Amino acid sequence: TNCVNELKTLLKEYSKIPAKPELSENYIRWFPHRISFDSSTDSLGTYIQNDILDAVNQLISGEDHDAILGKLLKYAHIQRIRPHELVAKKTNLSLSTYYRYLNKALERLYQVLVQK
């Protein structure tokens, strides 16, 4: 879906979220229910990075399938391990399975972010 593609775009820029206010604005627009932000304690971008990381870690600590999806998101988007072949190898997946799972991982993360 379109929302999942927008989430993918946001994750590609994960490390830049604090420096790019438009990324934070998009996140707030998509997931307003997730923002209980106190501007005195933190930057909004850092808050959003931590919120995404919490959701990814929630997947990692979940069922086996969710755990794999969470690890893919963490390695590929949050830690930015490159090339993708390295992440596939690290998670014992063929490259084609890796890319398929990475798309499923984005959909699953979107579900988690929408639920809270």
Side-chain angles (χ1 to χ4, degrees):
T1 64
N2 194 26
C3 298
V4 174
N5 287 334
E6 290 178 4
L7 179 60
K8 182 179 186 176
T9 303
L10 180 72
L11 283 175
K12 283 183 178 172
E13 301 274 326
Y14 179 82
S15 64
K16 299 176 189 147
I17 293 172
K20 290 186 160 184
E22 67 275 13
L23 296 173
S24 296
E25 288 163 17
N26 288 342
Y27 191 82
I28 293 169
R29 199 170 61 246
W30 304 327
F31 310 110
H33 60 286
R34 296 193 67 89
I35 305 297
S36 52
F37 177 66
D38 176 3
S39 60
S40 63
T41 58
D42 213 352
S43 89
L44 181 59
T46 304
Y47 175 90
I48 289 170
Q49 280 180 318
N50 289 331
D51 191 50
I52 293 169
L53 184 58
D54 287 346
V56 169
N57 285 331
Q58 188 182 328
L59 286 173
I60 291 172
S61 61
E63 302 285 320
D64 287 352
H65 189 65
D66 274 359
I68 292 169
L69 299 180
K71 284 177 188 166
L72 292 181
L73 290 169
K74 191 167 202 168
Y75 297 151
H77 290 294
I78 293 169
Q79 296 175 354
R80 303 266 326 142
I81 295 173
R82 293 290 180 270
H84 285 285
E85 289 83 350
L86 201 61
V87 181
K89 196 172 186 177
K90 192 175 171 107
T91 50
N92 294 321
L93 297 171
S94 72
L95 205 53
S96 61
T97 302
Y98 164 77
Y99 284 116
R100 199 171 64 243
Y101 275 30
L102 195 55
N103 285 328
K104 286 182 179 178
L106 288 163
E107 288 171 20
R108 188 68 185 98
L109 178 61
Y110 180 76
Q111 290 169 354
V112 170
L113 291 171
V114 167
Q115 281 169 359
K116 183 176 180 183

